[in-house]
Amino acid sequence: MALPTSTNPAHAHFESFLQAQLCQDVLSSFQGLCEALGVEAGRGLTQYHKIKAQLNYWSAKSLWAKLDKRAGQPVYQQGRACTSTKCLVVGAGPCGLRTAVELALLGAHVVLVEKRTKFSRHNVLHLWPFTIHDLRALGAKKFYGRFCTGTLDHISIRQLQLVLLKVALLLGVEIHWGVTFSGLQPPPKKGSGWRAQLQPSPPAQLANYEFDVLISAAGGKFVPEGFTVREMRGKLAIGITANFVNGRTVEETQVPEISGVARIYNQSFFQSLLKATGIDLENIVYYKDDTHYFVMTAKKQCLLRLGVLRQDYSETDRLLGSANVVPEALQHFARAAADFATHGKLGKLEFAQDAHGHPDVSAFDFTSMMRAESSARVQEKHGARLLLGLVGDCLVEPFWPLGTGVARGFLAAFDAAWMVKRWAEGAEPLEVLAERESLYQLLSQTSPENMHRNMAQYGLDPATRYPNLNLRAVTPNQVQDLYDVLAKEPVQKKSDKTDTGKLATGTQEALLRWCQEQTTGYPGVRVTDLSSSWADGLALCALVYRLCPGLLEPSELQGVGALEATSRALKVAEQELGITPVLSAQAVVAGSDPLGLIAYLSHFHSAFKDKPHSPGPVSQGSPGTSSAVLFLGKLQRTLQRTRAQENGENAGGKKPRLVVNASRGWMVPVPCVVSLHQVEAEIPSTEDPPVPEPSVPLTPPPQNQEVGAGDLCALCGERLYILERLCVDGCFFHRSCFHCHVCEATLWPGSYGQHPGDGHFYCLQHLPQPGHKDDNRDTGSESRELPTPGSDSLPSAPSMPPVPQEGTNPAPSPSRPARQLIRLSSPERRRLSSLNLTPDPEMEPPPKPPRSCATLARQALEGSFVGWGMPAQGPQGLPSSALVALKEEEGESPPSSEEEEEEQEDIALDEDMEQALLTFAKNSGTMDKYPTWRRTLMRRGKEEQMKRFCKAQAIQRRQNEIEVSLMELEAEGMKLELALRSPSISPERQKALWLEQLLKLVEKKNGLVAEEAELMITVQELKLEDEQWQLDQELRGYMNREETLKTAADRQAEDRILKKLLDVVHQRDALICFQEERRLSELAFGVGAQG
């Protein structure tokens, strides 16, 4: 930007202030500006108006216009809403500065203290649309010309702090650097106020500053005394961040960003990364800002194998401590991962420097995240009240893969400022706290999709941001414990722990009565207890028959032995009701595990106790029934049969050995479109479960023959307690034992398989393919050499879900292993040609079978995949979804010339999309809108990619939390079980209490397992969507070739891809049928309950 021609020295200082890129330069130039204008800094809005009055040339006026527009909102009352309020803000991070800006606009006297003296964090923050709009309204483009140009939706922490620092200084916030807040100093006597304990020795003016509002934004490591913090724990999660120098060359600008790719739905990329470099990641993100910023989640075993970590420690602090991390190996690791993810197109990756002059790469732990139980408190002493509020990481530590940190941090800053306004208005303290906690409840649920769509109306008032706002969700009576009067004795808080002496008794009696009611009328059954009455198997068959009429009819069981009847009942309960066994049929018949039987029957009771006693099968929508567990089990058995057939063909007709999960299934191609009730139509309900071949034993010889089969882990042979038992096809395992044979990762429902040759379990990434000797076991404990950046041997980067990227080669990679040729039969071709997964009552009759493979595929892509993430075609071949986006863009206000003056990157759209958009613009006579439309499509694509990534990471985080919770339940359950089984002389009442506690733990576990299955349904949807997109890209590569140029191998590959595409469509259809059936069942149950 050219400097003004004026000789006024204040203009030069102002331009230096606008362009300053270092914290010290900002402060010095602003001090020079104030001295040149004769203005005292840090005097609130009075200072702002004085500066504005003296700087009225064109460059300054455009900034004043933006700030005046914000300050002119009615909620600020022309800067007089909080004129008598004195605030202290701790921390000059983005959230602390944003809060200070809002308080200054309200007219409060704001003092901010920061222990650091410079901004040095290069890490990049993802911005939600409203944060981009908010920062632009504060003049971010004036301070940082590259702010969110083109399709960028992120900014480095350092740049964001610089932008907000400049705004805060202009609005009169008083800022002190190198000052550490160490605590509060209560008023010593009546008439005095609250002060801060600051280090090192602060100026007298700051040491004597009395305030009535304290806002803490000092990060997750510092929470003021009085606040309770809750820890949210997951499995060990190691993040790695790396910042490389951005030379801003043409080549660098052409490299597409990676808004996020996760193993949970794109395993092929991570498999390629592992084979090429030995690096095993869960996810990776790449943003291009001041630096090339990469952040990824790495697996501990991989870091140990590659020498990044010297030793394995159970304590995370020791594991990731500086003494245990090898800096050179960490740099090599990050460089290799970044080079692979970007095709090596960034050239020689040189690390940026951190605050200490070292390469900016680090490993950090985000296993545990902290969350404050409350967002505000009030303390009172000698009549002086102090309002305390939390914002930023000390309120909620964000889960970085979700990209929610700065967005929710800004929302919390607005909510805190709104609280201060209500405080200044004289509202009762408990009312202020109740409103703030009502808003805090919304924070974790907030996303770009559930906020108000009109971002231009966003302001301090929560009603402008949150739809369906209820400021009375928390009542004043519920926040009385947040109001501390220090002169009085502290109120004894009620313990959250339940008094075990007051637990309701009679659990066994209630369970027994329910079982008696359910089995009444079944021939030959008379239940008198929870042990011997079940030994003949008939009582269990009667219970299952009651809940699933039509199966296990009394006539079917005539002459059937107790063991066979019990086995049938256990199997039908698992396959038709979703009740997973916790003990074997032998244990039921022998009566050797009465505690396990009670726990098993309690699962029936908790799931179906609210079901009305009326004939008819149990529906998916019945209370307590885990429809997701049931669906995964049913679908898995059908897929297992299909895989057995394929393996049999590959083995030359030899009968395969199959032992795979029946209740926690994994997805493979489905041979036909199926619904939940059709999925097992060909499987007789009384069919025995598959049994492992004796040639590959799963279970080591039991050490104690008298111990039942359900009491020993089938892998380690150690004792199994009730809550530890994981049932897979009649075998029982520890959850900790049930992991991938190669990478030792926990096997989630729907994400593993068992190899028919060696009997080991694998995650899908490492599951050996039939006929392939390479089973990925080359990634053993020995170290392997990482490739150097720019190596020609690097495979391609991740295939992203529908986000167009430059340089995409639609043809399949020649490095892909050859697959067996699959030819479509005539019925399959006819089925595909008429397939339409979004039926329309007015749809045309199915088209005739196409003659060529290309025509067949194009019909499928253009018709059948509508609604599956594949766009329908609009005018000139432009997808209808794109037209909707363009129409929405037309309704928005056009961007200013300032926002378009600089485009940081110009990455090409997909070639077909680019041509279709260009044609549409030409034919409609709207070429002037083409750049805006193009940018809109790019931005929408990145937003969708980010949504999928965030969804996948939220699922993975919840899976980890569930696993940790299950481990805690298992440990607690083991103690109770040992107490119950020990031959002690404990009173019967005590044993009844222990049993009730154990059954409550069993119920909690069943709830967590059901939630886990629900998550896996969503995981399957993400994986199939990604797989379909990748297959489509490959198929289009072949379809775009001239038929005369195709070789026989090309046609075979095209047919094979088409077959796989058909399989994916069928699987997605099965999921949709399941979701629809469940919706209808829940609707029917709701109507029945109301009736």
Side-chain angles (χ1 to χ4, degrees):
M1 181 181 295
L3 292 175
T5 57
S6 172
T7 58
N8 189 335
H11 293 182
H13 285 298
F14 184 70
E15 292 300 326
S16 298
F17 172 74
L18 293 180
Q19 304 301 324
Q21 291 297 299
L22 295 176
C23 184
Q24 293 300 326
D25 293 343
V26 172
L27 298 176
S28 61
S29 58
F30 184 73
Q31 185 64 33
L33 174 65
C34 291
E35 292 175 357
L37 297 177
V39 174
E40 186 177 359
R43 293 303 170 189
L45 290 180
T46 301
Q47 167 215 284
Y48 167 70
H49 291 301
K50 289 181 178 179
I51 294 177
K52 184 179 69 170
Q54 298 184 61
L55 289 178
N56 55 8
Y57 69 101
W58 65 270
S59 182
K61 281 184 176 180
S62 60
L63 178 59
W64 306 146
K66 288 182 176 293
L67 295 179
D68 286 346
K69 182 177 180 181
R70 178 76 185 195
Q73 293 182 6
V75 70
Y76 299 115
Q77 300 175 16
Q78 299 298 319
R80 294 190 294 270
C82 299
T83 51
S84 60
T85 304
K86 295 182 178 180
C87 305
L88 176 67
V89 178
V90 180
C95 297
L97 287 167
R98 190 65 189 87
T99 307
V101 167
E102 287 301 310
L103 295 175
L105 289 171
L106 286 168
H109 180 203
V110 185
V111 175
L112 185 147
V113 293
E114 168 59 46
K115 64 180 180 180
R116 297 181 178 88
T117 57
K118 59 181 177 181
F119 299 149
S120 58
R121 291 184 288 175
H122 294 294
N123 292 356
V124 177
L125 300 172
H126 172 70
L127 301 178
W128 289 5
F130 97 85
T131 52
I132 297 175
H133 188 276
D134 176 70
L135 290 168
R136 278 179 173 160
L138 292 177
K141 292 285 289 186
K142 293 293 295 185
F143 303 120
Y144 181 50
R146 296 180 181 275
F147 176 74
C148 289
T149 54
T151 61
L152 296 185
D153 56 359
H154 50 74
I155 188 174
S156 70
I157 298 176
R158 190 182 71 86
Q159 284 291 350
L160 180 56
Q161 287 177 288
L162 287 173
V163 167
L164 293 173
L165 172 63
K166 295 173 183 179
V167 177
L169 288 172
L170 287 173
L171 294 179
V173 176
E174 181 182 337
I175 302 179
H176 296 269
W177 301 92
V179 177
T180 301
F181 175 87
S182 57
L184 285 169
Q185 182 178 332
K189 60 182 179 179
K190 192 173 183 63
S192 57
W194 291 80
R195 298 180 183 180
Q197 297 176 0
L198 304 172
Q199 297 174 350
S201 301
Q205 180 182 357
L206 180 60
N208 297 326
Y209 177 62
E210 295 184 349
F211 49 88
D212 48 11
V213 174
L214 171 68
I215 301 296
S216 176
K221 301 300 182 182
F222 175 79
V223 177
E225 183 179 356
F227 286 91
T228 303
V229 177
R230 177 166 56 93
E231 181 184 22
M232 298 175 289
R233 294 180 57 230
K235 286 177 58 181
L236 176 65
I238 301 175
I240 295 177
T241 60
N243 284 279
F244 300 99
V245 174
N246 186 354
R248 305 192 187 279
T249 63
V250 175
E251 292 75 16
E252 287 175 289
T253 60
Q254 294 299 317
V255 178
E257 294 182 335
I258 302 173
S259 295
V261 58
R263 175 198 297 272
I264 203 169
Y265 60 80
N266 190 346
Q267 296 179 358
S268 60
F269 165 70
F270 294 97
Q271 177 71 13
S272 299
L273 173 64
L274 179 63
K275 287 184 176 180
T277 66
I279 294 175
D280 207 0
L281 299 180
E282 292 288 349
N283 52 50
I284 188 168
V285 173
Y286 162 51
Y287 284 145
K288 195 185 313 176
D289 211 271
D290 283 351
T291 61
H292 295 292
Y293 171 68
F294 291 84
V295 59
M296 61 203 80
T297 302
K299 294 191 175 182
K300 181 181 72 171
Q301 293 301 326
C302 169
L303 296 175
L304 289 167
R305 187 179 70 247
L306 296 177
V308 177
L309 301 178
R310 291 188 170 93
Q311 297 185 44
D312 188 4
Y313 295 109
S314 57
E315 304 89 352
T316 308
D317 291 341
R318 292 187 66 190
L319 180 69
L320 299 179
S322 57
N324 197 46
V325 176
V326 181
E328 296 77 13
L330 179 60
Q331 295 169 30
H332 201 180
F333 183 99
R335 186 181 284 114
D339 204 53
F340 179 92
T342 56
H343 300 264
K345 293 182 179 180
L346 289 178
K348 183 180 179 181
L349 291 169
E350 178 184 351
F351 282 101
Q353 302 297 305
D354 63 13
H356 305 288
H358 300 147
D360 195 352
V361 57
S362 63
F364 64 96
D365 166 50
F366 62 101
T367 302
S368 298
M369 295 182 297
M370 311 306 291
R371 177 186 177 90
E373 293 284 1
S374 60
S375 60
R377 300 185 67 86
V378 172
Q379 292 186 6
E380 180 179 344
K381 188 171 184 180
H382 296 310
R385 291 174 177 173
L386 175 68
L387 176 65
L388 299 95
L390 304 180
V391 297
D393 288 1
C394 64
L395 179 64
V396 180
E397 283 188 327
F399 182 47
W400 72 260
L402 300 185
T404 58
V406 69
R408 290 179 179 166
F410 275 25
L411 291 174
F414 298 154
D415 295 338
W418 175 259
M419 173 184 69
V420 174
K421 179 178 182 295
R422 296 279 290 127
W423 178 266
E425 290 172 347
E428 288 297 322
L430 290 179
E431 291 183 4
V432 173
L433 293 173
E435 275 193 12
R436 180 67 188 96
E437 295 308 306
S438 297
L439 291 171
Y440 184 36
Q441 289 185 349
L442 294 176
L443 189 62
S444 61
Q445 309 167 18
T446 304
S447 67
E449 290 74 36
N450 60 21
M451 296 181 67
H452 276 309
R453 308 300 295 177
N454 185 6
M455 292 179 291
Q457 74 172 6
Y458 281 20
L460 203 60
D461 188 342
T464 63
R465 294 175 272 121
Y466 305 114
N468 306 317
L469 177 65
N470 180 13
L471 290 176
R472 298 186 179 275
V474 177
T475 64
N477 287 335
Q478 294 175 292
V479 295
Q480 291 187 24
D481 60 330
L482 301 181
Y483 190 175
D484 298 329
V485 180
L486 302 185
K488 299 180 181 179
E489 291 294 327
V491 179
Q492 183 67 29
K493 296 182 180 179
K494 296 182 179 180
S495 175
D496 293 332
K497 296 183 179 179
T498 305
D499 184 359
T500 56
K502 297 182 180 180
L503 286 174
T505 58
T507 302
Q508 281 185 265
E509 290 77 4
L511 179 59
L512 177 59
R513 285 195 302 270
W514 183 81
C515 291
Q516 290 171 337
E517 293 174 359
Q518 301 302 313
T519 56
T520 299
Y522 199 90
V525 174
R526 184 171 180 270
V527 175
T528 59
D529 54 34
L530 296 174
S531 55
S532 60
S533 296
W534 306 83
D536 60 0
L538 292 180
L540 195 55
C541 289
L543 180 59
V544 174
Y545 175 75
R546 157 70 187 87
L547 299 172
C548 200
L551 297 177
L552 300 181
E553 294 276 0
S555 58
E556 298 177 2
L557 300 176
Q558 293 181 0
V560 175
L563 185 60
E564 184 178 351
T566 305
S567 298
R568 291 187 184 183
L570 291 174
K571 180 178 180 181
V572 173
E574 181 180 12
Q575 296 183 358
E576 301 298 332
L577 298 176
I579 305 294
T580 307
V582 295
L583 76 170
S584 64
Q586 292 88 345
V588 176
V589 174
S592 60
D593 190 6
L595 200 57
L597 179 60
I598 293 175
Y600 181 59
L601 294 176
S602 72
H603 194 177
F604 284 90
H605 179 248
S606 61
F608 302 107
K609 60 185 176 183
D610 296 327
K611 181 181 183 294
H613 192 82
S614 59
V618 175
S619 67
Q620 297 177 59
S622 299
T625 303
S626 176
S627 55
V629 171
L630 189 60
F631 172 76
L632 288 177
K634 290 195 170 192
L635 187 58
Q636 166 61 27
R637 290 185 289 277
T638 299
L639 303 181
Q640 174 181 321
R641 186 174 65 252
T642 302
R643 188 175 181 84
Q645 294 171 353
E646 293 176 353
N647 291 343
E649 294 174 0
N650 293 335
K654 180 180 177 180
K655 182 180 178 180
R657 172 183 171 275
L658 283 176
V659 183
V660 291
N661 186 12
S663 64
R664 298 157 62 85
W666 59 284
M667 306 282 283
V668 293
V670 183
C672 60
V673 178
V674 288
S675 69
L676 178 59
H677 298 300
Q678 295 170 336
V679 74
E680 286 192 292
E682 300 177 13
I683 302 180
S685 62
T686 59
E687 180 186 359
D688 291 333
V691 180
E693 286 184 1
S695 59
V696 188
L698 269 182
T699 312
Q703 300 173 0
N704 301 312
Q705 295 295 335
E706 68 273 9
V707 179
D711 291 336
L712 294 178
C713 175
L715 288 174
C716 71
E718 296 296 326
R719 178 67 181 268
L720 272 172
Y721 295 92
I722 291 175
L723 266 81
E724 293 179 324
R725 296 174 188 174
L726 171 65
C727 183
V728 179
D729 275 342
C731 297
F732 294 91
F733 307 90
H734 291 104
R735 283 181 66 95
S736 57
C737 293
F738 198 63
H739 54 67
C740 176
H741 183 62
V742 173
C743 65
E744 299 185 354
T746 300
L747 297 178
W748 303 106
S751 65
Y752 70 89
Q754 186 179 22
H755 190 257
D758 59 21
H760 294 299
F761 291 95
Y762 297 87
C763 65
L764 293 188
Q765 179 180 350
H766 298 119
L767 179 64
Q769 296 299 320
H772 285 203
K773 294 183 179 180
D774 179 16
D775 59 2
N776 302 314
R777 280 175 283 187
D778 57 342
T779 59
S781 58
E782 64 275 4
S783 299
R784 56 189 298 172
E785 185 67 22
L786 292 175
T788 57
S791 171
D792 294 336
S793 63
L794 290 177
S796 60
S799 296
M800 297 298 177
V803 177
Q805 296 196 8
E806 181 191 47
T808 302
N809 182 10
S813 170
S815 62
R816 288 181 177 269
R819 300 292 298 274
Q820 180 184 3
L821 175 62
I822 301 177
R823 296 189 180 279
L824 295 181
S825 63
S826 297
E828 288 174 327
R829 289 181 178 272
R830 286 194 295 271
R831 193 181 302 122
L832 178 61
S833 65
S834 60
L835 184 64
N836 194 312
L837 301 181
T838 53
D840 188 329
E842 301 179 358
M843 66 166 54
E844 299 178 359
K848 295 181 180 179
R851 297 183 178 180
S852 68
C853 177
T855 307
L856 174 67
R858 189 171 296 279
Q859 284 191 346
L861 292 174
E862 294 181 358
S864 300
F865 295 165
V866 176
W868 294 112
M870 297 301 300
Q873 297 297 317
Q876 291 85 36
L878 194 64
S880 58
S881 59
L883 291 177
V884 173
L886 299 185
K887 290 179 180 179
E888 292 179 358
E889 185 76 11
E890 288 180 357
E892 300 175 2
S893 58
S896 64
S897 58
E898 175 189 303
E899 295 173 1
E900 292 185 333
E901 65 185 15
E902 181 178 0
E903 293 291 331
Q904 181 171 348
E905 54 181 346
D906 184 23
I907 301 173
L909 283 169
D910 175 80
E911 185 177 350
D912 293 340
M913 177 73 75
E914 184 96 49
Q915 186 59 42
L917 179 62
L918 189 60
T919 302
F920 175 75
K922 288 180 178 178
N923 294 346
S924 59
T926 53
M927 280 299 294
D928 58 322
K929 296 182 179 180
Y930 171 76
T932 302
W933 285 352
R934 183 180 182 278
R935 186 172 58 251
T936 298
L937 294 181
M938 289 290 294
R939 186 176 67 250
R940 294 297 175 90
K942 291 185 66 175
E943 289 174 359
E944 290 302 315
Q945 181 182 354
M946 189 65 186
K947 287 178 186 177
R948 295 186 71 249
F949 178 71
C950 291
K951 189 175 184 179
Q953 294 310 118
I955 290 173
Q956 189 167 16
R957 176 67 188 187
R958 182 55 188 154
Q959 285 178 325
N960 291 338
E961 291 175 350
I962 288 175
E963 184 171 358
V964 171
S965 298
L966 288 173
M967 291 172 61
E968 293 172 349
L969 290 178
E970 290 170 2
E972 191 175 350
M974 182 181 68
K975 296 177 182 178
L976 289 172
E977 188 175 344
L978 286 172
L980 286 166
R981 292 185 186 274
S982 64
S984 63
I985 56 174
S986 300
E988 290 301 318
R989 176 176 172 78
Q990 181 62 56
K991 289 187 176 181
L993 291 174
W994 285 342
L995 178 59
E996 179 160 358
Q997 292 173 30
L998 180 65
L999 296 184
K1000 286 184 179 297
L1001 295 181
V1002 171
E1003 187 174 356
K1004 287 181 180 179
K1005 175 190 174 181
N1006 293 334
L1008 291 173
V1009 171
E1011 183 184 356
E1012 188 179 53
E1014 294 284 352
L1015 294 175
M1016 291 314 303
I1017 294 291
T1018 308
V1019 168
Q1020 298 299 343
E1021 293 173 345
L1022 292 172
K1023 289 169 60 177
L1024 291 172
E1025 180 181 345
D1026 186 77
E1027 185 177 355
Q1028 178 179 315
W1029 182 83
Q1030 294 187 41
L1031 290 171
D1032 170 62
Q1033 295 299 306
E1034 294 184 33
L1035 187 59
R1036 287 180 182 273
Y1038 286 109
M1039 291 165 51
N1040 291 337
R1041 299 182 187 178
E1042 293 289 341
E1043 285 292 330
T1044 56
L1045 300 179
K1046 292 181 182 179
T1047 64
D1050 291 339
R1051 293 188 178 90
Q1052 291 176 0
E1054 187 174 1
D1055 286 343
R1056 183 174 64 249
I1057 295 171
L1058 196 59
K1059 168 64 175 175
K1060 292 167 69 176
L1061 203 53
L1062 175 63
D1063 290 337
V1064 171
V1065 171
H1066 286 154
Q1067 291 179 59
R1068 298 190 72 179
D1069 185 52
L1071 286 175
I1072 288 296
C1073 290
F1074 159 69
Q1075 299 282 15
E1076 180 64 14
E1077 288 184 13
R1078 180 166 62 174
R1079 185 186 68 82
L1080 294 176
S1081 297
E1082 291 174 351
L1083 182 62
F1085 178 79
V1087 173
Q1090 292 177 2

